[in-house]
Amino acid sequence: MPHDPYARTFGFLLHDVARLLRRRFDRRAGTLGLTRAQWSVLFHIHRNEGVTQSCLAQLMELQPITLARLVDRLEQDEWAERRAHPTDRRAKCLYLKEKAMPVLEQMQAISAGIRAEAMHGLSPEACDALLDALLHIKGNLLSLEGAERDQDGAACPKSMIPGE
């Protein structure tokens, strides 16, 4: 097999690892009765409870109509609900319903198992160093993105993100 010059390229390697993790999660989570898109929306709502639908679309990098259809389905199946925004009557805030909690716990257990499989053979110190490095890189990129957002105004308004 010829040598792959991209095997140790940061972007390609990070993309490949993320793809393999998603594929493994899809196989393990297939029994939960949700599509990847649906469980992704549930997870993001859980992480940002009360977020507006338009802001969540931005955070997830989805078209608003795509997210609206996913939320329609989650609402129909009683996984999530829309509520009126307290100060903006045009906006809808997203919340999980009680039915979603056990599935989120299962998703988190599946994720923990996959992380353990992926990091098998690495010492706890190596795992911590890897996570620290990724957090540092994320911080660098968010800092750069924040500067760009300040220039183009693309960020969600603080009133649309809970806790801010």
Side-chain angles (χ1 to χ4, degrees):
M1 185 161 121
H3 173 70
D4 180 0
Y6 300 105
R8 291 188 57 87
T9 303
F10 175 75
F12 281 100
L13 186 56
L14 193 59
H15 181 269
D16 284 347
V17 168
R19 179 183 50 81
L20 291 166
L21 286 170
R22 279 191 309 273
R23 196 165 67 191
R24 186 114 179 104
F25 187 90
D26 285 348
R27 285 188 197 128
R28 300 263 313 269
T31 61
L32 299 179
L34 294 165
T35 65
R36 180 195 303 170
Q38 289 171 326
W39 59 253
S40 182
V41 172
L42 284 179
F43 177 76
H44 279 84
I45 294 172
H46 176 66
R47 240 180 123 184
N48 301 284
E49 191 92 16
V51 68
T52 63
Q53 192 168 308
S54 61
C55 185
L56 187 60
Q58 284 182 7
L59 291 171
M60 293 184 69
E61 297 182 346
L62 293 174
Q63 292 297 316
I65 190 66
T66 302
L67 180 65
R69 289 181 182 136
L70 287 165
V71 172
D72 286 345
R73 183 60 194 245
L74 291 171
E75 207 171 27
Q76 176 186 339
D77 293 340
E78 298 187 7
W79 296 100
E81 66 181 331
R82 292 175 175 103
R83 296 182 198 162
H85 188 278
T87 59
D88 183 348
R89 61 188 173 119
R90 298 166 300 161
K92 298 292 182 191
C93 298
L94 301 173
Y95 295 88
L96 295 180
K97 296 197 78 166
E98 197 60 37
K99 177 182 176 181
M101 297 310 167
V103 170
L104 281 169
E105 289 173 12
Q106 288 177 291
M107 287 169 45
Q108 289 169 337
I110 290 168
S111 293
I114 292 168
R115 272 192 309 276
E117 292 169 350
M119 295 196 169
H120 177 76
L122 295 176
S123 70
E125 296 79 19
C127 291
D128 286 343
L130 173 62
L131 295 175
D132 289 343
L134 289 171
L135 285 168
H136 183 87
I137 292 165
K138 179 181 176 181
N140 288 344
L141 294 171
L142 285 173
S143 176
L144 294 168
E145 189 172 283
E148 290 169 6
R149 281 188 181 173
D150 288 345
Q151 292 173 3
D152 69 16
C156 291
K158 291 202 181 289
S159 63
M160 300 298 167
I161 302 175
E164 290 198 22

